[in-house]
Amino acid sequence: MKKHILLLITFFLMTIFMSAQECEYAEYYRIVDSAKKDYSKQDFKEANQKFKLAFSKTDFPHGHDLSYALISAIKSKDDYWAGTIAENLAKGGIPLRYFQKYKKEKWYKKFSSEFENHSTYYKDSLNPVLKDKLLSLLEKDREFNSKYHVWRTRETELTLQELIKGANEILEEFITLTEEYGFPSERIMGYNYVWRKNAIENFPIEVFIVHIYQRGVLIFENEIPNIVCNGGLHPQWIETLKKIRGFGNSTGIEQEMKARYEKFRGTE
C-alpha cells in the first residue's frame, strides 16, 4: 500500500513539474493512464470518454493507446469515434490486415475504401526508414543483451574486447541515428505494428535506454524531461532512469565492461 501511495505521489510531482515546463504530453499521460484503469475494469464508456479527452491534448496520440481506445469506442457503440481512431492508426502506418477483425463494424466499409489515402499519408508525412533502422537496432541490442547474460552464467565465453566492441557498436549506431533524425518517437516514425502478433505495441525504447545506462553511458541524461514532454518516454522514466546504473561508475562502456569482467571472470 505504501509503495502504491509513493508511486502516486511521484507521478503527481512529475506532472506538476512537466506542467510548469509547458509540457505537451503531461495531461495526456495522466488521463490515458486513468482511462486504461477503467478499461481494465471493463468500464468502457468511462474509458472512452477519457481517451477522447486525452487525445484532445496532443495532435499525435500513441499507437498502443489508440488500440485501447478503439476497443473502448466499439464497446461503447461510439461508431464515428471508432472510425476516427482507425483512421489515425492507419495514418500512423498500421496495415489494413490489423483492422480486418472489425469488418462487421459500421465504420469499416468507409474506412477500408479510403485506406489507401491514409496509407499514402503515412508514407509522405512520417519516416518509415527511421522506424526500420530503430527496429533493427533494438533487435541488435536484444541479441547482444541475451549473449551477455549467457556469458554471465558461463554458458559461453566472450572476451573483454568483444563485450566492449558489441556495446560500443550499439551506442554509436544509436548516436548516429539520433543525430540524423532526432530522438526516435512515434510522432516522427509512426506506430509499431508487430506482424506475427497482429498487434500494436510500444517501441521498447525505454528498455533500450536502460541497457545503455547499465553499460556505463548516461545518454540524454539532461534531456529526459524534454523527451517525456515531447511524447518520447512515459513520465515514470524521469525518476526510474536516475536510479539505473551498471556495476561501474558510469564513466563509459570500457570502464563498465572491465568492471563486469572482473566481477564475473576476474581480471583478463
Side-chain angles (χ1 to χ4, degrees):
M1 183 65 181
K2 288 182 178 179
K3 184 178 180 181
H4 179 66
I5 294 173
L6 181 59
L7 287 172
L8 288 174
I9 293 171
T10 301
F11 187 83
F12 177 69
L13 292 174
M14 286 189 292
T15 301
I16 293 175
F17 166 76
M18 292 192 303
S19 298
Q21 300 297 312
E22 298 183 357
C23 178
E24 177 184 349
Y25 278 83
E27 284 292 284
Y28 172 89
Y29 285 121
R30 182 183 65 79
I31 299 169
V32 161
D33 286 351
S34 180
K36 286 182 176 178
K37 289 178 182 177
D38 292 324
Y39 180 97
S40 68
K41 293 184 290 187
Q42 298 189 351
D43 188 351
F44 297 113
K45 287 189 176 181
E46 185 66 21
N48 187 50
Q49 292 305 312
K50 287 179 180 177
F51 279 124
K52 280 186 179 182
L53 179 59
F55 297 165
S56 72
K57 303 297 181 180
T58 177
D59 61 359
F60 207 96
H62 291 175
H64 193 236
D65 301 336
L66 284 165
S67 69
Y68 276 93
L70 179 57
I71 295 172
S72 296
I74 291 170
K75 295 285 189 180
S76 302
K77 309 294 184 184
D78 196 344
D79 297 320
Y80 179 81
W81 176 235
T84 301
I85 295 169
E87 289 177 10
N88 284 337
L89 285 168
K91 288 178 179 178
I94 304 303
L96 188 60
R97 176 177 183 259
Y98 174 79
F99 302 98
Q100 288 176 348
K101 54 193 170 186
Y102 302 122
K103 276 186 175 180
K104 294 182 180 180
E105 298 300 325
K106 293 179 181 178
W107 50 268
Y108 183 83
K109 185 175 180 180
K110 177 177 180 293
F111 166 76
S112 60
S113 69
E114 298 173 350
F115 183 81
E116 197 60 39
N117 293 333
H118 305 323
S119 184
T120 299
Y121 175 89
Y122 164 65
K123 294 170 186 174
D124 291 344
S125 303
L126 299 174
N127 197 329
V129 173
L130 170 58
K131 178 162 70 173
D132 289 343
K133 287 183 176 181
L134 177 66
L135 289 172
S136 176
L137 179 57
L138 292 173
E139 178 60 21
K140 186 182 293 186
D141 177 73
R142 187 196 66 77
E143 290 175 355
F144 177 77
N145 208 52
S146 177
K147 189 183 295 185
Y148 162 75
H149 284 297
V150 172
W151 169 81
R152 182 176 57 81
T153 56
R154 294 182 177 271
E155 295 174 55
T156 190
E157 283 304 321
L158 295 168
T159 66
L160 174 58
Q161 289 308 311
E162 284 175 324
L163 290 169
I164 293 171
K165 181 175 181 290
N168 261 324
E169 285 178 353
I170 291 168
L171 175 64
E172 289 170 4
E173 190 172 333
F174 186 55
I175 290 172
T176 299
L177 185 145
T178 54
E179 286 177 347
E180 183 174 357
Y181 299 103
F183 188 86
S185 66
E186 290 184 341
R187 162 172 243 153
I188 300 173
M189 59 189 171
Y191 302 133
N192 183 25
Y193 174 72
V194 182
W195 188 268
R196 68 183 183 279
K197 298 179 181 178
N198 192 30
I200 302 167
E201 296 184 354
N202 291 320
F203 291 97
I205 190 73
E206 295 92 350
V207 174
F208 176 74
I209 293 178
V210 165
H211 290 165
I212 292 178
Y213 271 46
Q214 289 173 333
R215 293 169 194 155
V217 180
L218 307 183
I219 195 167
F220 295 121
E221 182 180 19
N222 297 322
E223 288 81 26
I224 295 298
N226 287 332
I227 291 171
V228 168
C229 285
N230 290 325
L233 297 171
H234 190 280
Q236 69 186 41
W237 292 96
I238 293 177
E239 293 302 315
T240 299
L241 288 173
K242 289 179 182 179
K243 303 171 186 176
I244 301 296
R245 296 294 185 272
F247 294 111
N249 55 19
S250 299
T251 57
I253 286 173
E254 184 171 345
Q255 184 274 339
E256 175 62 31
M257 291 305 164
K258 284 180 178 178
R260 293 187 185 205
Y261 205 92
E262 184 173 350
K263 180 178 178 66
F264 295 111
R265 291 294 190 276
T267 55
E268 189 176 46

